[in-house]
């Protein structure tokens, strides 16, 4: 019952991430993507829709749904990464495409999540997300350094769900 209440009455994500903050996050994504050939997408959701709550959707399951809905998998080298926040559950999830599965170990993604979580706990939501994006970009640059083409395949603008 507590989870239902947290989700149904969650304040809008825009309260934590106003328009100017989203612009700075988008700039951090664009800056990071100049260093690598991967794609980074940031999505934040205040709370789950009632249907997802009813079926008992976990933050990880929802992150995979968002990964698919935003077509983060739709990159030439299968190297898209979603950084997903579910505010009502205080959950941070990273979903990486199959091109990264053999290159970046789970502990590296977990370290990024832990750093973002620490920043959020300290009350610095924007700085925490930008730090997470920089850390993800560093991992991507190690395995997919920017080439001559360096196409921007997905939008850099954060997504409020």
């Amino acid at each position: 019952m507590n989870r239902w209440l947290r989700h149904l009455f969650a304040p809008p994500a825009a309260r934590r991430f106003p328009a100017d903050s989203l612009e700075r996050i988008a700039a951090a994504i664009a800056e990071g993507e100049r260093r690598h050939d991967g794609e980074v997408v940031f999505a934040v959701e205040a709370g789950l829709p009632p249907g997802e709550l009813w079926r008992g959707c976990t933050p990880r399951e929802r992150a995979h749904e968002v990964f698919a809905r935003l077509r983060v998998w739709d990159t030439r080298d299968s190297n898209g990464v979603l950084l997903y926040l579910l505010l009502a559950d205080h959950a941070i999830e990273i979903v990486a495409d199959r091109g990264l599965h053999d290159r970046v170990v789970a502990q590296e993604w977990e370290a990024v999540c832990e750093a973002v979580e620490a920043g959020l706990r300290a009350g610095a939501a924007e700085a925490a997300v930008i730090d997470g994006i920089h850390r993800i970009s560093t991992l991507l640059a190690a395995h997919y350094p920017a080439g001559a083409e360096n196409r921007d395949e997905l939008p850099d603008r954060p997504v409020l769900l």
Side-chain angles (χ1 to χ4, degrees), residues 5 36 44:
L5 293 174
H36 58 76
V44 59

Side-chain angles (χ1 to χ4, degrees), residues 5 20 22 33 54 56 75 86 92 98 103 117 120 123 130:
L5 293 174
D20 59 332
L22 295 176
E33 288 181 354
W54 180 257
T75 62
L86 180 54
I92 303 150
R98 65 187 174 275
R103 297 170 187 240
E117 181 180 11
L120 290 171
I130 289 173

Side-chain angles (χ1 to χ4, degrees), residues 9 18 30 44 46 65 68 70 73-74 79 84 96 111 133 135 152:
F9 296 105
V44 59
E65 291 172 12
L70 298 178
W73 50 264
D74 198 12
N79 58 359
Y84 171 77
I133 290 164
R135 290 169 183 263
D152 194 9

Side-chain angles (χ1 to χ4, degrees), residues 18-136:
D20 59 332
S21 178
L22 295 176
E23 290 301 323
R24 288 187 290 273
I25 292 169
I29 292 170
E31 175 191 324
E33 288 181 354
R34 284 191 286 278
R35 297 188 302 137
H36 58 76
D37 280 338
E39 290 293 323
V40 178
V41 175
F42 170 63
V44 59
E45 191 163 27
L48 294 173
E52 296 297 320
L53 282 171
W54 180 257
R55 84 175 176 83
C57 184
T58 66
R60 187 74 181 158
E61 289 170 336
R62 183 62 171 177
H64 279 277
E65 291 172 12
V66 170
F67 181 87
R69 182 189 322 163
L70 298 178
R71 301 176 59 100
V72 181
W73 50 264
D74 198 12
T75 62
R76 178 186 61 199
D77 295 322
S78 299
N79 58 359
V81 178
L82 172 68
L83 174 59
Y84 171 77
L85 300 183
L86 180 54
L87 299 175
D89 280 346
H90 305 284
I92 303 150
E93 297 287 344
I94 293 177
V95 180
D97 205 352
R98 65 187 174 275
L100 292 158
H101 286 200
D102 293 337
R103 297 170 187 240
V104 181
V105 297
Q107 292 84 352
E108 291 174 293
W109 296 127
E110 289 166 13
V112 174
C113 289
E114 289 167 4
V116 173
E117 181 180 11
L120 290 171
R121 236 185 282 124
E126 177 187 325
V129 169
I130 289 173
D131 178 55
I133 290 164
H134 287 305
R135 290 169 183 263
I136 291 167

